Structures are given as C-alpha cells and as structure tokens.
Amino acid sequence: MQRPILAIPGPVEVSPAVLAAHAAPPHSHQDPELIEAFGCALELMRTVWSAPPDAQPFVVAGSGTLAMDSCVANLIEPGDRVLVAVTGYFSRRFAEMIRRAGGEAIEVAAEAGDAPFPDQLISSLDQALGLGPLRAVALTHVDTSSGVRLDLESVLRAARERGVLGLVDGVCATGGEHFEMESWGADVYLTASQKALSLPPGLALLVASRDALAVRAGRRAAAPPMMLDWEQWRPVMEAYEARRPSYFATPPTPLIAGLRVGLEEIMAAGVGPTIERHRTVAAAMRAAWSALGLRSVPVRPELEADTLSCLWLPEGIGDEVRAHIAQRGAIVAGGLLPELRGRTIRVGHMGWTTSQPALLRRIAGAVGEGLRDAGAGADLEAALSAFDAEFGIACEVDQATD
Ligand code: PMP
C-alpha cells in the first residue's frame, strides 16, 4: 500500500527538495553555507510577507505557539488592553496568552464557523478606545479549528490609523492566503514552518514592524524570557542578513537550510501565483465536498479559508470515518473545538500539495471512499468529476488571462 498522504491542516507534505535539504548532515551555525542560507531566508521572508524594509524578520526554533508567545511576551505589559477577534480555538489561545502576560483581553467572539464583520471589529476598536488606551488588536488570519478566514485589511488599517498595534496569527495562512504586511499596516505577522510554507515542523517565524520593535525597546515591565526576547535575537538576525556569523542560542541549522529551499520554491512559482493556486485548489476541493454532500463549517462562502476545509460529517457518521479515510490513502484531522468534535473533519490543502493535482485528487477520492466505507451514500464519481471540472476550468481561465 502507498504511504497515506498527510492531509491534515499541518504538518503537510513537503517537496522532494525540501526533504533533501533537511536530510543533509547539520551545518555549524558559523558555517558560511549556513550563514548564506539564513541570510537568504530572512531576505525571502521580507518578500513573502510583503514587509516594509524597516521591519525585522525573526526565525527561532519552536512552533507557532512559540511565535505567539514571543509576540505577546515582547509587546504586552501588565495592564495593557488588547482587542481579540475570537474565531476559534487558536484565537482563544491568543487571548489566554495576553491574560497570562497581565494584559486584559477584550474578546469580540463569534459562534464556531462565524467571524465578526470587519465593521463590527472597527466599532469595537473605537468603543474600547473610548474607555482607555488600547495596546493592540489580535487577529487570527485563518483559525484552523473552524476553517474561518478573517477579513484583515480594513481592521489593520483602522488599527494603524488609531495608533493601535495590529498583531496577526498567520500560522495557517502565510504562503497560502493573500496578505500584505506593509500596505495593510500589520505590526506582527507570525507563522510556523509546517503549514502553507510547506516545511517540516520546528520553526517559529515572525516579522515585526518598526513600531512593534519600538514598543519592545521602550518596555517598562520586566524583559521577556531570553529565548523569546527580540532584543536578544535582533542582532543575530541582522548579522545573518549581513552574512556575518553570530550567536545567541543555537539555531536548528537543518531547518534553516530547509527554510531557504522552501521559500525559494515559493519565489520560483511567484508569491501571487502561489496564493492564486491555493484559491484554485480550494475551489476544486469545495466542488468535490459539495458533490459528496459535505457542508462547510464556515457559515458564509467568503469566510472559507483556502488553506483547509472544515466540514460537517453527514448525519450518522462520526469520527471513525477518519480511520476509513486513512485506509483509503489520506490522513485527515478531526474537530478541535468541543462543539465540532466528532461531527466534523478538517482537510488541509496547502503548501507543496497544492502543486500536485494527482495528490489532491487522491485526497478527495480517499475522503469519498472513506465516507462510503463508513456507510454514507457518497457519490465518488460525481465528486471527482466536480473536482476535475473546477480544476480544469480554473486552469483554462488562468491561461486565458496570461
Ligand atoms: N495558530 C493557528 C492558527 C494554528 O493553526 C496553530 C496550529 N495548528 C497554532 C497557532 C499553533 O501552532 P503550533 O501547533 O505550531 O504551536
């Protein structure tokens, strides 16, 4: 039997070149080759993030949660008020981190599958500002627990106009969803390696704006733990980008080598075309789900993320369907939020996999077959034709507009 395809919303499948980069013997962190890879990766992050030249990229060993912790530990002081848009499990985590840092998290929450409208978030910003200073607004670009994508641009612009920092968790979005750090005015955009950047897990990545760096530099409360502290890491990142050796704590050198290769692959395809490819793939996957009778958890089409599908299971089908789907060749995730657990599945379609139509078709097929094996009346042929039709149509349109 073929190895099942990893189709959870991260970690995801990686390209052969990325795999090879990780499999090479580790470099010293002072090795010229590693310095070049690190410097190159930091430069490429600026492009993938559409970051302003005075922003600072950071790459440290860790996962997305560490990137979130680093953002909160550097920027939030006891007593700071932060508006948090709650669209699922990971935005709740953001709020909890802010409380742990001694801040006040003012939550604007929506039911699972829904999101506050941008206008609602902007009025909440104004209301909160009417009651006192507001340090930041915390937004989750795609909440992986609900498959909901937040409409960021107007909220980030409004935050910047009001002197409020815009902090974005892009863990399930970076490299797969449209984002422009500079023109939208975000102050932190953070992510992890194992999602749409299509690398193995192990790296926490973020870019901080000049304003965010200034807030850290002017911090009155105790400094963050050393491993999270931007003031410790900034000279190291600056040195690598200037192709000089540096040391504060040992970087995970094989992961840095892989990061460079992964980001170069995105650049070779083009950032815009890569985002567009995720959109095309998501549309084709949705066509397959709808032919299988699976409904999306996001309650409005514009809320559906392009990096994953979060789907209601048919009546009478529970979490056991995932074992059937795995038997048919794809590993998918279950529900994470208590209200979705046992009643939903989540299928990742991000990163390198989105450049592999045959793999995507196998994922859609495995879900259909798994549903059938579990006793649902799924029309597999209709699902695959819907996938092909949507994929084919999208490709033709792409060519026509070239
Ligand atoms: N935020 C979001 C939106 C996520 O999807 C995840 C991981 N699924 C995290 C944060 C936490 O990242 P990690 O598991 O890499 O710590």
Side-chain angles (χ1 to χ4, degrees):
M1 192 180 128
Q2 274 179 308
R3 181 176 68 86
I5 305 160
L6 194 51
I8 62 174
V12 297
E13 295 287 339
V14 306
S15 75
V18 164
L19 200 58
H22 284 80
H27 287 103
S28 148
H29 53 287
Q30 313 270 342
D31 186 306
E33 250 185 72
L34 190 274
I35 294 170
E36 179 58 26
F38 212 142
C40 193
L42 292 166
E43 283 166 3
L44 294 174
M45 277 176 73
R46 294 180 183 279
T47 310
V48 173
W49 266 241
S50 298
D54 55 3
Q56 179 61 56
F58 293 92
V59 180
V60 294
S63 74
T65 304
L66 188 110
M68 295 168 77
D69 260 335
S70 152
C71 167
V72 171
N74 281 278
L75 298 179
I76 307 304
E77 299 194 22
D80 280 350
R81 298 164 70 239
V82 182
L83 192 81
V84 186
V86 176
T87 48
Y89 181 92
F90 291 103
S91 26
R92 284 184 200 155
R93 177 173 291 183
F94 225 166
E96 173 58 17
M97 284 177 175
I98 288 156
R99 286 190 286 270
R100 286 185 183 208
E104 181 193 344
I106 305 164
E107 297 188 19
V108 184
E111 297 285 309
D114 209 343
F117 285 97
D119 288 357
Q120 198 184 336
L121 287 169
I122 296 170
S123 357
S124 303
L125 264 180
D126 286 330
Q127 262 174 24
L129 279 166
L131 297 171
L134 192 67
R135 168 66 72 200
V137 56
L139 307 167
T140 305
H141 197 172
V142 170
D143 200 306
T144 324
S145 64
S146 57
V148 164
R149 178 183 53 221
L150 204 55
D151 187 352
L152 299 176
E153 184 176 351
S154 58
V155 184
L156 286 171
R157 285 185 194 278
R160 177 142 300 177
E161 279 162 17
R162 289 158 179 76
V164 172
L165 294 176
L167 316 178
V168 188
D169 170 352
V171 170
C172 197
T174 317
E177 298 281 357
H178 180 208
F179 179 75
E180 291 179 28
M181 182 161 181
E182 180 167 23
S183 65
W184 296 3
D187 291 291
V188 173
Y189 193 66
L190 64 89
T191 196
S193 49
Q194 76 276 14
K195 304 267 187 178
L197 295 180
S198 219
L199 302 157
L203 290 178
L205 307 103
L206 68 83
V207 180
S209 72
R210 186 189 52 200
D211 289 355
L213 296 167
V215 168
R216 163 61 194 99
R219 187 179 172 84
R220 293 173 317 260
M226 285 182 82
M227 189 67 181
L228 300 180
D229 190 357
W230 295 349
E231 296 279 297
Q232 296 292 331
W233 281 116
R234 196 174 170 185
V236 176
M237 300 299 146
E238 285 170 349
Y240 278 124
E241 210 169 341
R243 309 300 195 267
R244 283 187 278 106
S246 185
Y247 171 75
F248 154 61
T250 308
T253 54
L255 302 189
I256 302 292
L259 174 65
R260 181 224 192 134
V261 174
L263 293 176
E264 279 176 345
E265 283 184 347
I266 293 178
M267 294 305 296
V271 180
T274 300
I275 304 296
E276 197 49 47
R277 189 179 79 212
H278 280 75
R279 197 170 297 155
T280 303
V281 164
M285 297 308 267
R286 279 183 210 124
W289 308 146
S290 130
L292 290 171
L294 299 172
R295 230 169 14 93
S296 273
V297 170
V299 296
R300 294 185 295 282
E302 69 273 19
L303 293 178
E304 288 176 301
D306 288 337
T307 47
L308 83 155
S309 298
C310 186
L311 303 161
W312 290 108
L313 288 168
E315 206 55 46
I317 304 292
D319 208 40
E320 72 287 350
V321 72
R322 290 200 292 130
H324 291 291
I325 297 170
Q327 280 291 323
R328 295 295 188 165
I331 300 172
V332 301
L336 190 55
L337 285 169
E339 54 270 52
L340 302 183
R341 208 167 285 153
R343 303 168 60 203
T344 56
I345 54 168
R346 293 175 303 138
V347 185
H349 31 82
M350 59 185 126
W352 177 73
T353 309
T354 60
S355 68
Q356 306 295 311
L359 282 193
L360 293 161
R361 213 170 178 277
R362 268 173 58 202
I363 295 168
V367 170
E369 285 176 324
L371 279 166
R372 246 193 215 169
D373 296 345
D379 188 342
L380 186 59
E381 290 67 33
L384 291 178
S385 323
F387 175 89
D388 291 344
E390 186 67 39
F391 212 76
I393 288 166
C395 292
E396 273 167 32
V397 170
D398 281 348
Q399 278 157 17
T401 52
D402 266 348

